[in-house]
Amino acid sequence: MEPEVITGPGMPKALGPYSHVVRLGDTLYISGQPGIDPATGQPPSGFGAEARQAFTNLKTVLEAAGSSMDRVAKVTVFLTDANNFGQLNELFGEFFATRPPARSTPIVGLPRGLLISIDAIAGTQS
């Protein structure tokens, strides 16, 4: 079984030499989705807007791969500031309203002054 790189419309430009999503069998591996607006190439101002854009980017990538947010099994949400954890939980509950996936939330440094990045493992639509 060969890994298949998935591309699609509306995906933000990758910030480096990586693929946004790779399918291997019935599993999708989604690279970290930062809160960058695909139209401008820049993050919106403020954590809430940037985080919403990161979740939107994740949703776009999943849909381009033929999946959806309800097929996500595991996410890692990288934050630069633990004080944003409450806002993250609100958005997480909004985007994963039913059957929220497993989650890890390390506090890290991110490139380009980004405040959030979200990677995921999901199943394909069956």
Side-chain angles (χ1 to χ4, degrees):
M1 180 177 339
E2 295 275 329
E4 174 190 1
V5 173
I6 308 292
T7 60
M11 285 187 187
K13 185 176 185 230
L15 299 178
Y18 62 87
S19 300
H20 279 292
V21 60
V22 173
R23 179 191 332 259
L24 186 61
D26 292 334
T27 305
L28 300 172
Y29 299 90
I30 295 95
S31 294
Q33 297 301 304
I36 293 177
D37 183 333
T40 66
Q42 298 297 318
S45 182
F47 177 79
E50 186 176 327
R52 179 171 295 283
Q53 185 64 57
F55 279 104
T56 300
N57 291 346
L58 175 61
K59 184 175 186 279
T60 298
V61 169
L62 285 162
E63 289 172 355
S67 191
S68 64
M69 296 293 271
D70 66 346
R71 302 284 296 163
V72 174
K74 170 73 169 78
V75 297
T76 304
V77 181
F78 300 94
L79 294 179
T80 60
D81 186 344
N83 292 317
N84 291 324
F85 203 80
Q87 287 183 67
L88 167 66
N89 277 339
E90 287 178 27
L91 282 168
F92 202 86
E94 178 183 328
F95 279 87
F96 296 108
T98 60
R99 296 181 313 169
R103 179 180 89 186
S104 300
T105 312
I107 307 303
V108 300
L110 292 170
R112 297 181 56 189
L114 293 166
L115 305 175
I116 186 171
S117 182
I118 307 168
D119 74 16
I121 299 171
T124 58
Q125 301 290 22
S126 308

